[in-house]
Each structure stands twice: as structure tokens, then as C-alpha cells.
Amino acid sequence: QQQVKQSPQSLIVQKGGIPIINCAYENTAFDYFPWYQQFPGKGPALLIAIRPDVSEKKEGRFTISFNKSAKQFSLHIMDSQPGDSATYFCAANSGTYKYIFGTGTRLKVLA
Amino acid sequence: NAGVTQTPKFQVLKTGQSMTLQCAQDMNHNSMYWYRQDPGMGLRLIYYSASEGTTDKGEVPNGYNVSRLNKREFSLRLESAAPSQTSVYFCASSEANGQNGYTFGSGTRLTVV
């Protein structure tokens, strides 16, 4: 019940495409859902986050869609660029100190 | 503003050797964490410190010990390194109660031979 299942494991898109990364959870106590972006050799960096009182959040080209009834949330990257090539992690938190992370999606955007 | 600083960046150990990974944050965060990252496993919590003076086990604490030296510093010690501890280790910090996400360091790549 503590898991966050992330898919796909890897993704290749053409420049300008819209990659979509999905996460699913079971614990209904989760109330904060961040996405992290990690470039090779670097630590993960907070990209965008959502709370379950809204169904969508946009920051620049990045959008989180949240489906509370299905217990799923997804990251969409509009007009993807080669510089977006990175590993993306979803995570969930229930108001405690600990986050549960997905296993990561390696995204490659072709020029 | 440096954020979270980890040292060293790379380390090779022989089985049975010990070492301490250092972490310091300058954001006045109350909580600090140690994670390990392995291919296909995502990020797994080793230990965390909710506030200065407290530490608690995470998901994979065996073979590790931690010290919250002060509000800024949180170290991770491997007493007798094993090949299974070959990984990339990340330190992170957050505001109290973990809300608003973590700030991660740049990682320590550890190889145990």
C-alpha cells in the first residue's frame, strides 16, 4: 500500500512531442505529489507538485494531471526539447517526513 | 546559496573498510535524509532525521549508521562496507514535516570491491 508505481521505465520521443509519464498509488492518505527531474551525475530536483484538491497544475511546459478517484497522476511535457532528456521520478507524501518514490522514467528527446 | 553539499563525490572502498559520507545544508531546514539510488529500484530511504537530535530508520537501514551532528550536518557511516552497498547515495533536506518537497545534494557514487 506504500508503493507508487511508475510507468513507463523509459521513453523516447521526437522534439516537439508530448511525453506522458504515469504514476499510480494505493494509500489514500497521500496528499502531496511532487515530480523530480534528474540529470546524469546530479541529484533530483523538484520540478512541479500537486495536491489532491485540484485536477491539473501547469508550470511552463510541464503539467500534472491528477485523478483522485483512480488514484493516478501523470506528468505531461509540452513541446519537449532535447534539454528535457533526464530521468523523472514521481513521489507521494502523506504529511510525514518520508516520501515514497516511483522507480523513475528515463526520457530521451531526439533532436 | 549552496543548498545541500555532499562529500566526497566518488569513493572506492574495499570490502570491510569503513567510511563516512558527509552532508551539510545551509537552508535552515529541520529535516534531513539519506537515500540510496540503484538502477530499477528508484530512491530508497536509509535513515532520516526529523529534527536536530533525532534519527530514525528508513526502508533499508541495515549496514549503516547516521549522526545528526547539528542542524546543518547529517553524516552516514558504513562500518564494514559490502559489495551490496555499491550505489549512489543522496542526502536531502526539507522544511519541517517534509512538505514542499526535498532539496537533494549532487550525490556520492560509492563502489565497494
Side-chain angles (χ1 to χ4, degrees):
Chain A
Q1 197 179 28
Q2 285 295 318
Q3 283 186 323
V4 175
K5 295 183 179 180
Q6 184 172 347
S7 63
Q9 189 174 6
S10 62
L11 190 53
I12 301 174
V13 300
Q14 295 287 339
K15 177 183 175 182
I18 305 176
I20 300 172
I21 304 170
N22 300 299
C23 285
Y25 64 96
E26 291 294 326
N27 187 349
T28 55
F30 288 145
D31 63 358
Y32 182 69
F33 302 90
W35 284 91
Y36 287 83
Q37 179 187 56
Q38 183 181 26
F39 293 107
K42 303 293 185 182
L46 182 62
L47 183 64
I48 186 173
I50 196 168
R51 297 188 188 276
D53 53 343
V54 296
S55 60
E56 185 176 276
K57 184 173 182 180
K58 292 183 180 180
E59 286 187 6
R61 295 183 294 105
F62 299 92
T63 299
I64 300 179
S65 297
F66 187 84
N67 186 330
K68 188 173 182 178
S69 61
K71 291 184 283 187
Q72 295 176 349
F73 59 109
S74 59
L75 177 69
H76 302 233
I77 305 176
M78 306 302 175
D79 187 27
S80 58
Q81 302 296 313
D84 296 329
S85 297
T87 298
Y88 293 83
F89 291 94
C90 63
N93 179 272
S94 57
T96 69
Y97 304 99
K98 295 181 287 186
Y99 282 75
I100 306 299
F101 286 87
T103 52
T105 296
R106 183 172 293 184
L107 172 66
K108 186 173 179 63
V109 181
L110 301 175
Chain B
N1 190 347
V4 178
T5 302
Q6 289 182 238
T7 56
K9 293 190 181 302
F10 301 94
Q11 184 71 50
V12 179
L13 290 178
K14 293 182 179 180
T15 298
Q17 287 185 317
S18 62
M19 78 162 295
T20 300
L21 281 64
Q22 306 287 352
C23 176
Q25 53 93 6
D26 62 3
M27 295 169 290
N28 202 35
H29 283 166
N30 286 312
S31 304
M32 298 185 73
Y33 315 81
W34 277 104
Y35 280 84
R36 60 178 289 174
Q37 183 177 35
D38 302 290
M41 302 291 288
L43 291 154
R44 293 183 293 169
L45 182 64
I46 305 171
Y47 271 93
Y48 69 101
S49 172
S51 61
E52 185 178 357
T54 69
T55 60
D56 285 285
K57 295 178 180 180
E59 183 184 354
V60 288
N62 291 344
Y64 305 96
N65 284 300
V66 291
S67 295
R68 183 74 182 267
L69 304 171
N70 48 55
K71 190 172 185 179
R72 291 186 63 249
E73 299 173 287
F74 188 39
S75 63
L76 178 72
R77 183 162 178 83
L78 286 71
E79 292 290 352
S80 179
S84 61
Q85 294 178 305
T86 293
S87 186
V88 181
Y89 291 85
F90 288 100
C91 177
S93 68
S94 74
E95 297 171 2
N97 210 30
Q99 291 294 292
N100 300 320
Y102 290 167
T103 300
F104 283 90
S106 58
T108 296
R109 185 173 293 273
L110 175 67
T111 302
V112 183
V113 298

